[in-house]
Amino acid sequence: MRLKVVVVTVLLVAALSYYIYTPLPDAIQEPWKLMVVDAGFRTAMNLATLKHQLGLDHYITSVRHTLEGFDSTVTALQGSESTVGVVPGVKVSDVTFAGIPVRVYEPPAGGEGHLRRGLMYLHGGGWAFGSGKVGSHDKMSRMISDELNTVVVSVEYRLFPEVHFPEPFLDCVAAAKHFLSAEVLAKYAIDPERVAVSGDSAGGNLAAAVAQEISTDDSMSVTFSVQALIYPALQALDFNTPSYVQNHNMAILSRQLMVQFWLQYLGADISVEPQLIANNHSAMQQLALTSELRSRLDWTTLLTQKFKKTYTPVVVERDSHGLLKKVPGFLDVRSSPLLAGPEVLAKCPRAYILTCEYDVLRDDGLMYARRLQDAGVSVASDYYEDGFHGCLSFTSWPMDFDVGKRALRGFVNWLQNNL
């Protein structure tokens, strides 16, 4: 009997190890910790998909509940460590800007007689998950507000499946215009020449798009002075850039999952996912995709050899599905800021762009940095050779990574010196 128990235990441990194990690059520190995080996320997605197929709940809703439970569990495990995110004196208020829910963080130093910095932050989560009110985003906002004497506005834009593009973008633009109004800046004692927009991942996409929209709106008397983009998603036409190919099965964010996020955001049928992975939607026959547009995301000219490596472009001649006509969002600069023309980029604020080697979105950020520089915009780039997508969200025990702490400190230091 005892032997059977031992055998069963060994088999269960082996099965669990097999499920958790994901091949990771040697440069990744503490790989088993990242594997556990990734396995947890995959499990949440798989169980949610099963519930969705059984008609019990929408899978996005299920994953949200799981992530909320995970965040609560981590907070409980941290115990006294959870106070790391609670900064004494930072005033937190949940209000609305132009009807959009936002959380405002006001620094303890106050604004009496002194103007403060302002920062609008847009959280990531594939336009489907996340909130600036909890977890790492909340802790980061509190820290920035306190350390940099900054009024941080975290926007709770609407998510999929409740809405699709362009609604999240429009929510962020509405909140931004309200934030930049003379009345609101005066209310919070914010220096109108020191206001930034920032975001990570899908939030980085929204931050870049909002920065473009505000910069080219002649009705705005105050615009953002800087933009800080953290591993942003900036285009949905080429899913075979070197970083997409290199990291197609990377933990946290695979190519398949990123394509799924894009299709959901743009309101497209998920069944066409294989067409996008093959780049069929951006075939040469697509008249709407002109040579000028193609040049704006041509990684063979926008990336250095260090990142091009030995990869070759995936170019398809014919697309039998006509996806660009069915889903016009693919070519909309409001969803794909990398497609903006040089005349738009030239009006954009100074930029900080953070990229990670082991991230499918690495090349999106690198190409945007190059295009902004070519348009005459000052760009500071932080590239982490041992970084992975989402690392900035893993800075607190028990899911803390050194690269996440370094990335967060680099981001905050740049804001301190440039905002």
Side-chain angles (χ1 to χ4, degrees), residues 126-158:
W127 305 284
F129 306 118
S131 167
K133 296 182 178 182
V134 297
S136 59
H137 288 106
D138 177 63
K139 291 179 182 179
M140 181 178 69
S141 293
R142 293 173 186 269
M143 182 185 74
I144 291 174
S145 180
D146 179 51
E147 284 193 23
L148 306 187
N149 191 32
T150 301
V151 176
V152 179
V153 174
S154 181
V155 182
E156 294 294 296
Y157 57 90
R158 288 172 292 172

Side-chain angles (χ1 to χ4, degrees), residues 153 198 254 260 273 276 283 318 335 343 368 408:
V153 174
S198 181
S254 66
Q260 179 179 328
E273 179 186 294
L276 270 64
R318 299 185 63 81
S335 73
E343 72 285 354
Y368 197 54
L408 177 59

Side-chain angles (χ1 to χ4, degrees), residues 183-255:
E183 295 78 11
V184 173
L185 294 177
K187 174 182 177 181
Y188 292 105
I190 298 172
D191 186 340
E193 295 184 359
R194 304 176 75 186
V195 188
V197 61
S198 181
D200 61 290
S201 194
N205 165 281
L206 292 167
V210 168
Q212 291 181 6
E213 181 75 13
I214 296 297
S215 299
T216 55
D217 187 341
D218 294 334
S219 70
M220 297 297 298
S221 57
V222 177
T223 59
F224 292 111
S225 54
V226 299
Q227 57 179 320
L229 314 178
I230 300 169
Y231 30 75
L234 299 169
Q235 59 85 28
L237 290 173
D238 188 354
F239 292 106
N240 285 276
T241 63
S243 61
Y244 263 112
V245 176
Q246 171 185 290
N247 302 302
H248 68 282
N249 280 328
M250 185 60 192
I252 305 298
L253 184 66
S254 66
R255 175 168 61 174

Side-chain angles (χ1 to χ4, degrees), residues 89-90 106-117 145 149-151 188-189:
V90 171
E106 297 179 67
E112 299 81 4
H114 300 282
L115 293 179
R116 308 178 288 192
R117 297 178 174 96
S145 180
N149 191 32
T150 301
V151 176
Y188 292 105

Side-chain angles (χ1 to χ4, degrees), residues 24 80 97 111 119 121 131 150 170-171 175 196 222 247 250 252 256 276 282 317 322 325-326 328 354 374 382 387:
L24 293 175
S80 61
F97 279 11
L119 170 67
Y121 196 86
S131 167
T150 301
L170 296 176
D171 285 355
V222 177
N247 302 302
M250 185 60 192
I252 305 298
Q256 178 272 328
L276 270 64
S282 56
E317 289 297 324
K325 289 184 178 180
K326 296 177 182 178
L354 185 154
D374 289 348
D382 264 354

Side-chain angles (χ1 to χ4, degrees), residues 49-186:
T49 299
L50 177 60
K51 290 176 64 177
H52 183 82
Q53 292 172 342
L54 294 174
L56 300 177
D57 201 356
H58 193 286
Y59 80 94
I60 293 294
T61 304
S62 297
V63 175
R64 286 178 188 166
H65 291 160
T66 301
L67 294 178
E68 290 169 3
F70 174 77
D71 185 70
S72 298
T73 301
V74 169
T75 301
L77 286 173
Q78 289 173 338
S80 61
E81 291 291 330
S82 65
T83 59
V84 170
V86 180
V87 181
V90 171
K91 179 183 177 182
V92 178
S93 306
D94 291 323
V95 297
T96 59
F97 279 11
I100 309 302
V102 301
R103 172 166 283 190
V104 181
Y105 301 81
E106 297 179 67
E112 299 81 4
H114 300 282
L115 293 179
R116 308 178 288 192
R117 297 178 174 96
L119 170 67
M120 188 176 88
Y121 196 86
L122 308 173
H123 68 82
W127 305 284
F129 306 118
S131 167
K133 296 182 178 182
V134 297
S136 59
H137 288 106
D138 177 63
K139 291 179 182 179
M140 181 178 69
S141 293
R142 293 173 186 269
M143 182 185 74
I144 291 174
S145 180
D146 179 51
E147 284 193 23
L148 306 187
N149 191 32
T150 301
V151 176
V152 179
V153 174
S154 181
V155 182
E156 294 294 296
Y157 57 90
R158 288 172 292 172
L159 303 170
F160 173 86
E162 289 78 18
V163 297
H164 306 88
F165 173 80
E167 301 308 320
F169 165 78
L170 296 176
D171 285 355
C172 295
V173 169
K177 289 184 175 181
H178 184 86
F179 184 35
L180 294 170
S181 67
E183 295 78 11
V184 173
L185 294 177

